[in-house]
Amino acid sequence: MSDARAVPTALPPRHGGLWSRLARIEGLPIVVVFFVLVGAFVYFAPEVFLRWPIYFSFLTTIPPMLVLALGLTLVIAAGEIDLSFPSVLAFSGFLFAWTVRHTGLDWPAAALALAGGALVGAVNGVLVAVVGIPSIIVTIGTQFFWGGIAVVLSGGLSYSLQRLDHTLLAGIFTGNLFGVLPMQSLWAAALAVFVWFLLNRHRFGEHLLFIGDNREVARVAGINVRREVIKLFTLMGLFAGFGAILLTMENRNFFSTQGGGYLLPALAAVFIGGTSVFGGSGKVVGSFFGAYIIGMLDAGIVATGVAGFWVQVIVGIVFVVAVVFHLLMEHPGRFITIARFFRRSS
Amino acid sequence: MTGETTSHPAGAAAGADPGRGYTHIVRAQRISVSFGNIRALSDIDLAIGRNEIVGLIGDNGAGKSTLTKVLTGVLRPTSGRLFIRDQPIDWNQYSVRAAHRLRFETVYQEKSLGEKQPLWRNFFVGRQITNRWGFIKVREERRIADEILKRHIGFRGVGIDADSTVSQLSGGERQGIAIGRAMYFDSDLILLDEPTVALAVKEVQKVLDFVRSIKRSGRACIYIEHNLAHVHALADRLVVLDRGRIVADIPAGTMSLEELTRFLIGLHAPAGAAGAAQ
Ligand SMILES: Nc1ncnc2c1ncn2[C@@H]1O[C@H](COP(=O)(O)OP(=O)(O)OP(=O)(O)O)[C@@H](O)[C@H]1O
Ligand SMILES: [Mg+2]
C-alpha cells in the first residue's frame, strides 16, 4: 500500500528525513541567522563584540520591541493584524507618565497603563469581530486616534520621570540584576515562554491557530470566533501597554510620539522569525530571535564601522535572506521551482 | 470503537439526558432560515428516530447543508424550535459545543479540517483534553489521534501520523480523517454532509459500511448524498428538500431507484412533464 503512493519529488517527504526533522525544530533557521550575525559582528568588530557592554545595551533597548513582537505573533497567527500598537505605546506611556508625575503612585500608574492598553485593544477587537471591519483598516484608524489622543492630552510635551529612580517598581522591571543583566530582558524572555505555551499548548492558542487557518472550520468546530478575536486584541493591547511601561521606565522619560519608530521593526521581527502572513501558524521562538536580530542590526552595523546609511540596506538584505531561508526550510520543493525559473529565463 | 465513551456533562443545553429513553433523537419544528433576502429553509418539520438512517436529498442550494448546520448548533435559525431526545432546546444555550455534549457528530461537506494544523489538533479542536487551566494534554491527544488513525481509519504504514498536517493529505484522506473523528466520538446522531465526495470506490465502500454500522449499533444518522444509488440502498427514509421546503418523505421500499430518479427530475420540470414522469 505504501509503495503504491507515488510521491512527486517536488513534495517534501511526509515525515522522517533529516531535512523535515530539522524543519520541525521551531525557529531553527532564525537561530542560525542570529548566530551568523553575531559571528559576523565579532569578526568585523571584535573590540566591541567581545565585550559585555554592547550586549547589555541590546538587552536594555530591545525588550519593549520584543514584547510587541510577541503580541503580534499571536495576532498574525490568527490571521489578523494590528497596526495600532505604536499609539498604545504613546497612550499607555502617557497614562503611566502622567500618573507618576502628578501623584507619584507608580504601581497604580502601571496598572492604569495596562488597563489603557487593554481598552484600546478591546475596542479594536470589537470593531473587528463584532462590527466586522477588517483589522488592517480598524487599526490604521485607531492608530491615528489614540496617537492623537496621546499628543492632545500631553500637550505634545515630554515628561521627565526622575522620581522613578530607586522605586521598587523601576527596580523590578528595569533594574539590573547583579548590575549586569537588565531586568526587562528577563521579563520579556519570561513573557516569550508564556506566549509560546499560550499559542502552542493552550486551548486559546489552538483556537487562534484554527481561526487563522480557516474561520469557517473554526466556527463549525465550536470555537466562539468573535469572543476569541476580542480576547486576542485585548491581549495585544495589554502587551503594548506593558511595552510602554518598560520603555517609559527605562528612559525615565515620556514623549508623545515615542511609539512611532516601532511599527515596522516589530512587524519585521515577527516575519523574519518565520510566522506566516497568511495566518494559521505562529513562531514564537522565531519572533524572539527576530526581535533581537532587528534590534541588533542598527547598533551592530554602526559598531563595525560601516557608515550608518548602509544600515537600512543591510537590514533589508537580512530580512529577505531570513524569509527566503524559512520558505525553503518549510517547502524544500521551492528549490526546484526557483532553479527552474532561473534556468528558463537565462 | 475504543469502548471508552467520554463522560459528557450531558444536557447542559436542554436537560436532555442522553441516557434516558426517547423516541426522536432530534426533531425540527417549523424551522426557517433566511440569509438576507434568501430564504434557505422554510418551515421545516423533520423528526429523526433514535435508530433511523435518514437520507437527505435535493438539488444544489436546496438547503441541506443549512439544515445540518442548524441541527448542530453552527447556525441559529430565523425561527422555529428544536427538540433533542424529545426535550425542547433553548437557542440561547445551543451551540456546537452543546451539540457535542449531546452526542451529535458531524462530517461537513468541506472545510471541516484546519489545513495547516496537525491531525491531533484537528481531532480535538473545540473539545480539547486539557488540565484545569486550559492547557492541552498534548501527549494524550497525540496518542489517541494515532490510535484513531490506525484503528478507525486504517492509515497504517502510509506515512501519516498524528503530526502530519492536513495539507499533506489527499481529498479522500481528509474525508477519512473527518469520518474517523466522528467514529471515535461515538455519538447518538451522526450527520454526514456528502461524505463520499472525492472518494475512490474503495473508500466509498468504507463510508457506506460506516453508515451501516451506525444502524447496527442502534444509533441515528442523517446522510446527505447526491449519489441516489448510495442513499437509496442505505436509508430507512428519504427526505427530499427543494428550495428550502420538504417536498417528499419517502419510506424505504416504496419507490424504486428509477422512480426516485424520475421524481427528482420531475420536480423542476414544467407541470406537464412532471405529470408524464409519474
Ligand atoms: N452563509 C450564507 N449566506 C448566504 N446565503 C447562504 C449561506 N449559506 C447558504 N446560503 C444559501 O442558502 C441556500 C441553501 O444552501 P445550502 O448550502 O444549504 O444548500 P445545499 O442543499 O447544501 O446544496 P449543495 O448540494 O450544493 O451542497 C443556497 O441558496 C445558498 O446560497
Ligand atoms: Mg451542501
Side-chain angles (χ1 to χ4, degrees):
Chain A
M1 173 127 189
S2 59
D3 41 20
R5 181 177 304 278
V7 180
T9 44
L11 290 175
R14 288 193 170 183
H15 70 158
L18 180 64
W19 190 268
S20 71
R21 239 176 296 149
L22 284 178
R24 274 189 191 185
I25 300 174
E26 186 182 336
L28 185 65
I30 199 66
V31 174
V32 171
V33 171
F34 176 82
F35 283 106
V36 167
L37 200 67
V38 172
F41 284 152
V42 169
Y43 179 80
F44 287 112
E47 67 291 350
V48 178
F49 282 92
L50 287 177
R51 289 151 182 269
W52 185 242
I54 185 89
Y55 298 103
F56 181 87
S57 118
F58 290 148
L59 293 172
T60 306
T61 54
I62 295 171
M65 181 171 73
L66 172 54
V67 170
L68 295 170
L70 291 171
L72 283 171
T73 307
L74 297 176
V75 173
I76 294 168
E80 301 287 356
I81 190 74
D82 185 351
L83 302 177
S84 70
F85 61 87
S87 292
V88 179
L89 238 49
F91 177 67
S92 284
F94 167 76
L95 292 177
F96 179 71
W98 187 90
T99 313
V100 168
R101 182 165 166 148
H102 291 280
T103 68
L105 300 171
D106 51 352
W107 289 92
L112 192 64
L114 292 177
L119 174 78
V120 176
V123 170
N124 285 340
V126 168
L127 288 172
V128 172
V130 181
V131 183
I133 311 169
S135 54
I136 186 165
I137 297 172
V138 166
T139 57
I140 286 175
T142 52
Q143 131 89 11
F144 282 114
F145 180 80
W146 297 102
I149 292 285
V151 175
V152 170
L153 292 180
S154 64
L157 301 174
S158 69
Y159 287 40
S160 166
L161 299 170
Q162 298 311 326
R163 66 189 294 175
L164 281 171
D165 290 349
H166 313 298
T167 59
L168 181 63
L169 181 74
I172 289 177
F173 285 98
T174 56
N176 297 321
L177 192 65
F178 313 123
V180 294
L181 197 57
M183 286 300 288
Q184 59 264 51
S185 68
L186 297 179
W187 285 105
L191 196 65
V193 173
F194 170 76
V195 170
W196 189 92
F197 275 96
L198 188 66
L199 182 62
N200 295 295
R201 290 294 176 264
H202 197 272
R203 196 192 294 139
F204 176 63
E206 187 166 288
H207 289 174
L208 296 182
L209 291 171
F210 275 84
I211 291 170
D213 201 326
N214 187 321
R215 230 153 254 260
E216 187 56 21
V217 169
R219 220 160 68 87
V220 300
I223 295 170
N224 188 336
V225 175
R226 216 172 261 183
R227 192 187 61 198
E228 300 298 59
V229 169
I230 293 174
K231 274 203 273 183
L232 168 68
F233 278 96
T234 307
L235 192 68
M236 177 66 212
L238 198 63
F239 277 32
F242 184 56
I245 295 172
L246 292 185
L247 181 69
T248 312
M249 210 142 58
E250 173 60 37
N251 293 340
R252 298 283 196 273
N253 184 34
F254 161 82
F255 58 100
S256 58
T257 55
Q258 67 180 5
Y262 281 95
L263 180 60
L264 289 177
L267 285 167
V270 176
F271 291 125
I272 227 180
T275 294
S276 158
V277 71
F278 300 112
S281 90
K283 302 283 161 55
V284 178
V285 177
S287 297
F288 181 89
F289 284 97
Y292 275 102
I293 289 173
I294 294 286
M296 277 168 51
L297 279 172
D298 229 0
I301 294 167
V302 174
T304 58
V306 176
F309 47 77
W310 278 97
V311 168
Q312 303 232 336
V313 176
I314 297 174
V315 172
I317 292 172
V318 172
F319 184 86
V320 172
V321 167
V323 170
V324 170
F325 195 14
H326 279 296
L327 189 85
L328 293 180
M329 282 298 277
E330 263 174 50
H331 307 281
R334 292 286 171 87
F335 272 127
I336 299 163
T337 317
I338 294 169
R340 228 179 262 151
F341 175 81
F342 282 108
R343 213 177 306 137
R344 206 170 301 150
S345 40
S346 63
Chain B
M1 304 288 128
T2 48
E4 55 187 24
T5 48
T6 4
S7 64
H8 296 263
D17 182 350
R20 300 249 176 75
Y22 51 86
T23 318
H24 294 120
I25 178 72
V26 65
R27 183 157 64 88
Q29 195 181 64
R30 297 181 63 84
I31 282 188
S32 299
V33 172
S34 300
F35 297 107
N37 289 330
I38 303 168
R39 198 149 164 91
L41 292 177
S42 307
D43 291 333
I44 297 293
D45 284 305
L46 179 66
I48 311 290
R50 62 183 298 168
N51 184 24
E52 205 177 18
I53 309 293
V54 175
L56 196 55
I57 52 183
D59 287 348
N60 295 120
K64 306 179 297 292
S65 296
T66 305
L67 182 56
T68 49
K69 284 182 182 162
V70 170
L71 299 182
T72 55
V74 176
L75 201 69
R76 190 168 166 168
T78 317
S79 65
R81 303 183 69 190
L82 190 65
F83 296 80
I84 294 179
R85 295 186 185 80
D86 308 329
Q87 305 288 318
I89 287 291
D90 174 0
W91 289 117
N92 291 322
Q93 315 253 328
Y94 200 52
S95 65
V96 175
R97 273 161 204 269
H100 282 160
R101 279 198 297 273
L102 291 163
R103 296 166 56 76
F104 285 14
E105 206 45 59
T106 319
V107 176
Y108 290 99
Q109 181 166 11
E110 55 203 6
K111 306 271 178 247
S112 56
L113 302 172
E115 289 245 343
K116 296 179 192 166
Q117 313 309 322
L119 298 182
W120 62 269
R121 285 196 191 276
N122 270 293
F123 279 119
F124 290 99
V125 62
R127 48 186 139 173
Q128 296 89 342
I129 305 173
T130 63
N131 68 12
R132 79 170 89 166
W133 308 109
F135 285 96
I136 300 168
K137 294 180 176 166
V138 174
R139 203 174 302 162
E140 196 173 338
E141 288 198 356
R142 265 211 189 96
R143 182 182 58 73
I144 297 173
D146 263 325
E147 192 183 300
I148 299 174
L149 287 172
K150 288 200 193 100
R151 196 184 295 199
H152 295 294
I153 310 183
F155 277 179
R156 218 183 296 259
V158 197
I160 296 172
D161 61 26
D163 281 312
S164 308
T165 53
V166 174
S167 59
Q168 295 170 292
L169 307 184
S170 76
E173 288 167 340
R174 290 175 200 202
Q175 205 70 316
I177 298 291
I179 292 171
R181 178 172 65 181
M183 290 164 96
Y184 170 75
F185 284 103
D186 192 27
S187 298
D188 292 336
L189 174 67
I190 294 164
L191 300 98
L192 302 169
D193 192 348
E194 300 186 38
T196 58
V197 167
L199 295 190
V201 185
K202 219 162 109 193
E203 272 71 31
V204 170
Q205 288 310 318
K206 279 192 203 160
V207 173
L208 300 183
D209 283 342
F210 171 50
V211 177
R212 284 188 202 101
S213 78
I214 296 173
K215 176 73 183 175
R216 269 200 310 277
S217 57
R219 294 171 292 149
C221 175
I222 297 178
Y223 182 24
I224 299 176
E225 173 71 77
H226 282 297
N227 184 322
L228 292 180
H230 292 159
V231 261
H232 187 264
L234 279 177
D236 297 318
R237 222 170 95 208
L238 292 173
V239 173
V240 185
L241 264 181
D242 182 38
R243 285 166 290 185
R245 291 178 187 282
I246 293 180
V247 294
D249 196 327
I250 309 161
T254 57
M255 223 186 236
S256 73
L257 183 56
E258 290 71 37
E259 286 168 332
L260 178 67
T261 311
R262 256 179 285 139
F263 172 74
L264 289 176
I265 294 171
L267 271 180
H268 281 173
Q278 291 291 316

